[in-house]
Amino acid sequence: MRLFVSEGAPGSLPVLAAAGRAQGRAELLISTVGPEECVVPFLTRPKVPVLQLDSGNYLFSTSAICRYFFLLSGWEQDDLTNQWLEWEATELQPALSAALYYLVVQGKKGEDVLGPVRRALMHIDHSLSRRSCPFLAGETESLADIVLWGALYPLLQDPSYLPEELGALHSWFQTLSSQEPCQRAAETVLKQQGVLALRPYLQKQPQPGSLEGRLISNEPEEEELATLSEEEIAVAVAAWEKGLESLPPLRPQQNPVYSRLRQWNTLYLCGTDEYGTATETKAMEEGLTPQEICDKYHVIHADIYRWFNISFDFFGRTTTPQQTKITQDIFQRLLARGFVLQDTVEQLRCEHCARFLADRFVEGVCPFCGYEEARGDQCDKCGKLINAIELKKPQCKVCRSCPVVKSSQHLFLDLPKLGARVEEWLEKTLPGSDWTPNARFIIRSWLRDGLKPRCITRDLKWGTPVPLEGFEDKVFYVWFDATIGYLSITANYTDQWEKWWKNPEQVNLYQFMAKDNVPFHGIVFPSSALGAEDNYTLVSHLIATEYLNYEDGKFSKSRGVGVFGDMAQDTGIPADIWRFYLLYIRPEGQDSAFSWTDMLFKNNSELLNNLGNFINRAGMFVSKFFGGFVPEMVLTSDDQRLLTHVTLELQHYHQLLEKVRIRDALRSILTISRHGNQYIQVNEPWKRIKGGEADRQRAGTVTGLAVNIAALLSVMLQPYMPTVSATIQAQLQLPPPARSILPTNFLCTLPAGHQIGTVSPLFQKLENDQIESLKQRFSGGQAKASPKTAAGPQQIQALTEEVTKQGNIVRELKAQKADKNQIAAEVAKLLDLKKQLAQAEGKPLETPKGKKKK
Amino acid sequence: MAAAAELTLLEKSLGLSKGNKYSAQGERQIPVLQTNNGPSLTGLTTIAAHLVKQANKEYLLGSTAEEKAVVQQWLEYRVTRVDGHSSKDDIHTILKDLNSYLEDKVYLTGYNFTLADILLYYGLHRFIVSIQIVIGSFCAVFRMPFFSLS
């Protein structure tokens, strides 16, 4: 048999040391070959040492060669040796190769060299001392010892790399090194040069990969790009080339939201729901009539939504003649078809205030636990639900007098009788629709618990009148007529309202709400509508969100915790940024929380550094390098792949928004922008532009493609940030058809030669101290400007009562049409009391707006 | 597949009825077998060889000195070259080399089926399953008449 070795190949050591074992069994010839010679015919890469057997077979594993020699001498295989050799090959060798490479090829020293192998050395030392055997696999030296010794010798022959504290290892090593076969092998291979004799061989080996890096990766997951098919690329490129031609004719319309961008005929409505107890109470507080209160707050609401760039076709209100007409019509039809029941209801009435008290206006002793401040619907202490009439020692919260139980007649919607129709409708509607899971769950729970007749009237004055004899002093319960509000608001917008609301075959109705409103939209109104039998359009997709919390807790208007609608304007942060962040954290599947620091982070990282950075750079390159004209684009196959990826992401965005997954679709936009940034980074157009003809053309292509991506982003962004979108489109001078249509493929909307406008940054960085002070401002109750009169809770209570009393006085005077001067005096008193109260609470005083007639 | 699963599969192939319990060690999750009458054994090929002996099928480790050495060589090849390498170039080289080696052989040791064939097949399985187009060039590798092991 022939052994092939190479100068400085470390594997030669154990092989030569083991070769002595085979002596007498077979003739061994030794040949020296160059380190890059491929001795083994079937191995692509060169390997030494190699043993060619008489049979013609090759052994190319150093350990296997040694094993062969030992087997020839009659040695029997055992588990422990196998274990050592497996460990040597899988654990020791990688560490040792690295150490030797650092030492011999890179000239490193000390811990840089010893570090990688320290653990392995300790393992050997530990095993030896634990077994208290002089050798690795038994009492006499054996295969395992030779193989390991041979591997370790080049390093450990230098005492500075043989740690003194590893005593067992130390003596084991010395014992073996002093043995004749090992000594001879060492001399042959290292030739007095020590470890440096290995240099000619090691230099030709690949650099060892970082051991740590391979085992623990801290690299963030790179977004895996989907593999593209040839067909996908071809389709995407063809669509791109058709460009503006592909766009359908523009249907002129005002305010784009997603559905309008898709050219679907859309009506977007909302309004203020104004009837009910809360309005009456607030009116008393402020010394105004309910109508005046509603007029005032409707305007405030409308302004807020306008500031937020919410583009309703119409923002209406429920206190209109149309509402009365439609509600009474539905009621009459329900009555005629036998879906209305009549019953007696016992309620608490405060004779002093001359009204029946809603639950929240009664306070008393809890009949279960004796808590003295139990509310009329639930005891705050023991949490049990109660009926107001069950309270012991009840008191009217306003005037503190004791209310009496009075019975009155009320009307009930016979939900149990309508139940079958509702279930039938749900069975048809729910499957395949986009009702959110929480809405489905809530509706099913209501149905499962069994529908009960629901009271639809109240003893109030402020509401839709009940058109039935004997019920003249009653109005409809707000949650009966509130949902009818959508219809009446439409009727106030167009006289063609029935084309929307009595047209279920052609209309898709989406309703958006928080989950506490689901039962009214999903069961109560559909029941009324189905019972009225007038072909009403029912909700096709009920989209309910979970709750939005504030920082670590909940929003609280009374405690001043959180940012409420009208306060956002004062923060100095633009509406579009609010829109972006709130949509980013929209509580779709579960509750989410508003966080100032998170908003700062998202603004700075996603808007500024990702989106803003990409769009700005793309535009800047066109301006700076191409005089403001989009350059020629010659797409390489890589560019075509990018184009296809953008198209696929765009289509993903469509799929998501069609399913009302607003949060996720926003991330699609950011993903495309990220790809865009990477594309620019990789292609370095700012460098290429300074190069030769080919480089400049490349810079042109990259710039052109990038600015087209920016144009696409501007349209995708429109539902989320309409002002920013318009700004981008103005900066890029996007042709009008492309501005308000969202295609399903990525099109070339800015062809070569198109002139863009002036480009400037879209977003501003939010600073830490700015955010910190805002966070403080809205955290509630803390000492801001210290109030002049530090008021205790009792004082506040007393002032509150005085304000309410004074409000009553003013209202009565006005109702009685008393002397103008007298009224003015009492109003002045009221305003002063309110000021005192505000100061005591540390809140800013609201300045009442002037009266506005609708 | 995970080492423990592989060893369990091997036990079945060897006809061992008693299922051993394996634990895993370290970052690379190296299998460990606790034996009843001795210290624990660590390492895939070590445990595999032990199981072969347990099943009284020592011929699967080779009969002659040469065969035994060859078996161990390919077991080592399995755990050093095949395991833990997934770059396309590495896989390509491995398959190319193996194909070349097997051209004049039926099994890795020549004409006798051994543990080396079993463990190398297990180790290559994940590559062969994911390669569709390359099959043509590696006929020799796929000629190996194995019993179905999946």
Side-chain angles (χ1 to χ4, degrees):
Chain A
M1 52 191 170
R2 188 177 288 270
L3 181 67
F4 295 86
V5 294
S6 251
E7 282 278 321
S12 315
L13 264 169
V15 162
L16 290 173
R21 299 288 170 140
Q23 248 162 21
R25 313 290 173 176
E27 194 187 26
L28 181 66
L29 300 165
I30 301 182
S31 302
T32 308
V33 295
E36 302 195 294
E37 222 175 301
C38 287
V39 175
V40 184
F42 56 82
L43 290 180
T44 310
R45 303 205 182 111
K47 190 106 186 9
V48 276
V50 169
L51 183 67
Q52 187 183 19
L53 301 165
D54 295 327
S55 64
N57 254 340
Y58 291 89
L59 288 176
F60 55 83
S61 151
T62 303
S63 303
I65 297 171
C66 298
R67 185 187 289 260
Y68 180 64
F69 290 152
F70 269 76
L71 285 167
L72 280 182
S73 72
W75 170 80
E76 302 258 6
Q77 301 191 106
D78 63 87
D79 285 340
L80 192 50
T81 303
N82 286 344
Q83 186 170 272
W84 275 118
L85 261 57
E86 188 174 355
W87 178 82
E88 190 268 344
T90 55
E91 307 271 5
L92 180 61
Q93 273 300 330
L96 200 51
S97 309
L100 287 175
Y101 191 89
Y102 297 144
L103 175 61
V104 173
V105 177
Q106 291 184 342
K108 293 194 179 158
K109 289 184 183 21
E111 198 53 30
D112 287 343
V113 171
L114 203 49
V117 287
R118 198 175 273 281
R119 230 177 46 176
L121 296 178
M122 283 162 61
H123 174 76
I124 302 171
D125 177 78
H126 188 64
S127 294
L128 284 167
S129 41
R130 200 177 39 166
R131 222 177 273 116
S132 56
C133 267
F135 296 103
L136 291 172
E139 292 296 321
T140 51
E141 76 175 86
S142 172
L143 174 61
D145 304 287
I146 297 297
V147 169
L148 263 68
W149 172 88
L152 291 165
Y153 185 81
L155 185 67
L156 300 188
Q157 50 83 35
D158 179 351
S160 52
Y161 293 113
L162 180 54
E164 281 287 336
E165 69 272 17
L166 303 179
L169 173 69
H170 211 275
S171 54
W172 169 84
F173 182 78
Q174 301 295 26
T175 306
L176 282 168
S177 301
S178 60
Q179 286 183 354
E180 218 227 341
C182 297
Q183 269 188 338
R184 262 192 288 125
E187 248 178 302
T188 313
V189 178
L190 297 187
K191 300 183 195 347
Q192 315 295 325
Q193 290 167 45
V195 71
L196 294 177
L198 301 184
R199 190 181 287 183
Y201 179 85
L202 288 180
Q203 267 175 340
K204 301 236 167 39
Q205 304 309 307
Q207 192 173 10
S210 150
L211 293 175
E212 260 80 66
R214 247 203 304 245
L215 298 172
I216 313 141
S217 175
N218 271 326
E219 304 260 289
E221 297 273 21
E222 267 194 349
E223 274 159 356
E224 292 231 349
L225 292 180
T227 38
L228 302 172
S229 70
E230 291 296 329
E231 199 190 317
E232 278 173 323
I233 300 178
V235 168
V237 175
W240 158 271
E241 282 166 3
K242 270 192 95 185
L244 287 167
E245 271 178 36
S246 319
L247 293 176
L250 180 61
R251 180 185 278 121
Q253 55 203 353
Q254 281 282 46
N255 310 296
V257 292
Y258 177 72
S259 55
R260 297 186 187 117
L261 291 173
R262 292 296 303 275
Q263 298 277 284
W264 299 335
N265 189 12
T266 309
L267 186 60
Y268 188 20
L269 295 168
C270 192
T272 42
D273 166 37
E274 300 183 354
Y275 288 129
T277 322
T279 308
E280 283 196 350
T281 317
K282 191 84 178 159
M284 277 198 320
E285 252 177 59
E286 293 201 16
L288 302 169
T289 65
Q291 184 66 53
E292 287 166 346
I293 280 285
C294 290
D295 291 344
K296 167 180 165 181
Y297 283 103
H298 173 81
V299 170
I300 293 175
H301 273 274
D303 281 342
I304 292 170
Y305 303 131
R306 207 171 295 129
W307 182 81
F308 271 104
N309 293 319
I310 299 176
S311 53
F312 298 122
D313 284 301
F314 184 59
F315 184 76
R317 50 198 302 196
T318 53
T319 49
T320 67
Q322 286 284 15
Q323 172 75 355
T324 305
K325 183 158 163 234
I326 298 172
T327 306
Q328 290 184 342
D329 174 56
I330 291 178
F331 169 72
Q332 298 287 22
R333 296 177 74 98
L334 286 168
L335 185 64
R337 285 157 182 77
F339 292 119
V340 179
L341 305 166
Q342 198 174 303
D343 206 349
T344 319
V345 174
E346 283 189 328
Q347 288 178 287
L348 288 171
R349 182 180 164 86
C350 177
E351 299 295 1
H352 183 257
C353 298
R355 56 195 205 118
F356 278 96
L357 296 175
D359 292 340
R360 70 174 95 171
F361 292 110
V362 187
E363 211 176 67
V365 179
C366 173
F368 299 107
C369 75
Y371 179 57
E372 287 184 3
E373 285 171 46
R375 280 193 342 257
D377 50 354
Q378 186 180 36
C379 174
D380 278 336
K381 190 162 178 220
C382 69
K384 286 210 168 71
L385 294 174
I386 41 184
N387 288 317
I389 51 175
E390 292 168 346
L391 283 173
K392 296 193 174 23
K393 298 206 230 159
Q395 279 189 337
C396 166
K397 261 187 120 152
V398 177
C399 70
R400 293 282 143 196
S401 60
C402 186
V404 288
V405 176
K406 270 232 155 124
S407 46
S408 63
Q409 290 287 88
H410 280 284
L411 298 169
F412 291 76
L413 181 61
D414 198 344
L415 285 180
K417 203 167 170 193
L418 290 160
R421 294 185 197 210
V422 174
E423 292 200 30
E424 190 196 323
W425 161 70
L426 284 170
E427 229 142 277
K428 259 193 317 172
T429 307
L430 287 180
S433 73
D434 296 316
W435 277 59
T436 48
N438 53 1
R440 293 174 195 249
F441 178 76
I442 291 169
I443 293 303
R444 288 216 179 86
S445 306
W446 267 57
L447 292 172
R448 196 191 53 230
D449 289 345
L451 296 174
K452 298 176 193 57
R454 204 163 169 81
C455 185
I456 56 171
T457 49
R458 285 291 186 274
D459 295 282
L460 293 173
K461 296 195 178 45
W462 182 243
T464 306
V466 180
L468 192 61
E469 210 182 298
F471 288 86
E472 293 81 5
D473 56 343
K474 302 192 199 325
V475 298
F476 283 113
Y477 175 47
V478 63
W479 271 117
F480 174 71
D481 83 327
T483 42
I484 299 172
Y486 299 114
L487 285 73
S488 72
I489 287 172
T490 311
N492 280 300
Y493 172 66
T494 169
D495 54 10
Q496 301 289 302
W497 68 274
E498 284 173 325
K499 290 218 174 96
W500 294 95
W501 287 102
K502 290 188 183 173
N503 191 1
E505 281 80 43
Q506 290 188 307
V507 176
N508 255 332
L509 175 60
Y510 286 79
Q511 293 190 313
F512 294 84
M513 66 201 73
K515 66 180 179 186
D516 55 349
N517 284 337
V518 169
F520 307 105
H521 290 76
I523 296 204
V524 179
F525 177 71
S527 303
S528 310
L530 287 165
E533 292 175 356
D534 208 356
N535 199 31
Y536 280 106
T537 306
L538 297 175
V539 58
S540 321
H541 310 281
L542 207 160
I543 317 293
T545 52
E546 299 288 325
Y547 295 131
L548 180 68
N549 294 317
Y550 180 78
E551 295 285 349
D552 296 323
K554 301 218 177 289
F555 283 88
S556 166
K557 193 139 201 193
S558 56
R559 286 184 292 122
V561 177
V563 183
F564 291 85
D566 52 348
M567 301 172 194
Q569 248 173 295
D570 296 330
T571 58
I573 295 173
D576 271 13
I577 309 294
W578 283 101
R579 288 177 63 112
F580 171 79
Y581 183 60
L582 291 173
L583 289 170
Y584 195 96
I585 60 171
R586 186 165 179 263
E588 290 180 1
Q590 58 200 48
D591 290 355
S592 66
F594 174 89
S595 152
W596 282 106
T597 22
D598 191 39
M599 180 151 112
L600 175 141
F601 185 68
K602 293 292 184 292
N603 178 78
N604 293 348
S605 64
E606 295 288 3
L607 291 180
L608 197 61
N609 292 343
N610 179 13
L611 195 59
N613 183 38
F614 169 65
I615 295 175
N616 192 243
R617 277 205 293 181
M620 287 297 287
F621 291 155
V622 174
S623 299
K624 267 171 69 174
F625 304 146
F626 300 97
F629 291 89
V630 175
E632 288 284 336
M633 294 168 267
V634 179
L635 301 184
T636 64
S637 59
D638 274 343
D639 297 331
Q640 291 183 340
R641 296 177 79 80
L642 175 66
L643 207 155
T644 312
H645 278 299
V646 172
T647 290
L648 291 176
E649 197 63 55
L650 171 63
Q651 285 167 354
H652 191 221
Y653 165 93
H654 279 298
Q655 284 162 0
L656 290 168
L657 280 183
E658 282 174 26
K659 294 253 145 229
V660 202
R661 286 173 56 186
I662 299 175
R663 264 182 93 144
D664 294 337
L666 181 54
R667 282 157 176 76
S668 275
I669 298 175
L670 298 172
T671 300
I672 293 180
S673 168
R674 238 192 308 277
H675 287 334
N677 267 322
Q678 265 175 3
Y679 178 63
I680 292 183
Q681 279 309 114
V682 164
N683 285 286
E684 300 181 324
W686 62 87
K687 280 197 194 151
R688 303 260 199 161
I689 195 66
K690 299 182 186 148
E693 177 77 41
D695 276 332
R696 284 204 305 278
Q697 188 190 69
R698 186 69 195 139
T701 301
V702 172
T703 302
L705 190 50
V707 82
N708 269 283
I709 296 175
L712 174 68
L713 287 173
S714 78
V715 192
M716 291 173 79
L717 210 49
Q718 220 160 57
Y720 294 91
M721 307 174 82
T723 309
V724 171
S725 166
T727 306
I728 300 170
Q729 295 186 337
Q731 288 186 3
L732 297 181
Q733 290 290 292
L734 197 58
R739 290 195 193 204
S740 16
I741 298 180
L742 198 53
T744 45
N745 275 74
F746 175 30
L747 309 173
C748 179
T749 51
L750 303 178
H754 170 87
Q755 187 175 21
I756 67 170
T758 317
V759 172
S760 59
L762 296 165
F763 302 109
Q764 277 190 323
K765 188 167 184 219
L766 288 176
E767 299 292 350
N768 266 317
D769 43 302
Q770 177 190 7
I771 292 299
E772 267 312 308
S773 78
L774 285 168
K775 197 167 167 181
Q776 281 285 23
R777 208 209 295 185
F778 295 104
S779 59
Q782 258 88 30
K784 295 150 237 165
S786 46
K788 287 176 211 145
T789 45
Q794 274 166 333
Q795 235 182 319
I796 295 176
Q797 170 87 324
L799 278 169
T800 314
E801 280 170 14
E802 290 211 282
V803 167
T804 312
K805 258 198 266 177
Q806 186 64 15
N808 279 340
I809 293 171
V810 170
R811 192 175 59 86
E812 273 176 37
L813 286 176
K814 284 187 179 174
Q816 289 161 25
K817 300 205 192 301
D819 178 53
K820 260 193 255 175
N821 290 326
Q822 197 184 3
I823 295 179
E826 296 298 332
V827 168
K829 250 203 241 170
L830 177 63
L831 287 176
D832 183 58
L833 279 171
K834 285 175 84 175
K835 206 160 117 192
Q836 284 182 42
L837 179 59
Q839 268 179 350
E841 289 179 325
K843 278 198 286 210
L845 181 63
E846 292 170 13
T847 39
K849 286 208 162 74
K851 281 188 274 191
K852 281 202 178 104
K853 288 276 188 285
K854 187 192 176 288
Chain B
M1 65 183 122
E6 188 172 341
L7 289 167
T8 308
L9 192 56
L10 179 64
E11 283 173 10
K12 290 208 186 91
S13 310
L14 291 171
L16 286 170
S17 51
K18 200 175 57 160
N20 287 313
K21 265 220 148 143
Y22 301 102
S23 47
Q25 179 178 291
E27 283 146 335
R28 292 192 299 118
Q29 294 289 283
I30 299 161
V32 180
L33 170 66
Q34 204 64 42
T35 59
N36 290 330
N37 47 347
S40 64
L41 282 180
T42 307
L44 179 71
T45 63
T46 304
I47 296 173
H50 175 82
L51 291 175
V52 163
K53 283 185 283 186
Q54 224 186 355
N56 279 318
K57 295 192 166 143
E58 278 200 55
Y59 57 88
L60 288 175
L61 296 175
S63 311
T64 63
E66 176 176 324
E67 224 175 53
K68 289 175 187 175
V70 170
V71 168
Q72 289 296 334
Q73 166 171 277
W74 291 109
L75 290 179
E76 183 190 308
Y77 187 90
R78 155 70 207 273
V79 289
T80 52
R81 294 298 313 282
V82 176
D83 285 355
H85 287 260
S86 33
S87 94
K88 277 211 187 107
D89 288 346
D90 283 348
I91 300 169
H92 202 269
T93 307
I94 290 167
L95 292 177
K96 186 154 156 279
D97 291 353
L98 274 174
N99 197 60
S100 182
Y101 176 72
L102 290 167
E103 260 164 9
D104 61 343
K105 299 175 189 64
V106 180
Y107 300 106
L108 287 166
T109 56
Y111 294 95
N112 295 323
F113 177 75
T114 63
L115 181 63
D117 302 284
I118 299 176
L119 288 198
L120 198 57
Y121 177 88
Y122 284 155
L124 290 177
H125 195 257
R126 64 187 172 113
F127 301 138
I128 294 170
V129 162
S130 62
I131 293 170
Q132 291 137 329
I133 308 164
V134 190
I135 284 182
S137 13
F138 296 117
C139 324
V141 176
F142 296 91
R143 244 199 299 119
M144 299 170 92
F146 288 37
F147 45 89
S148 168
L149 292 167
S150 32

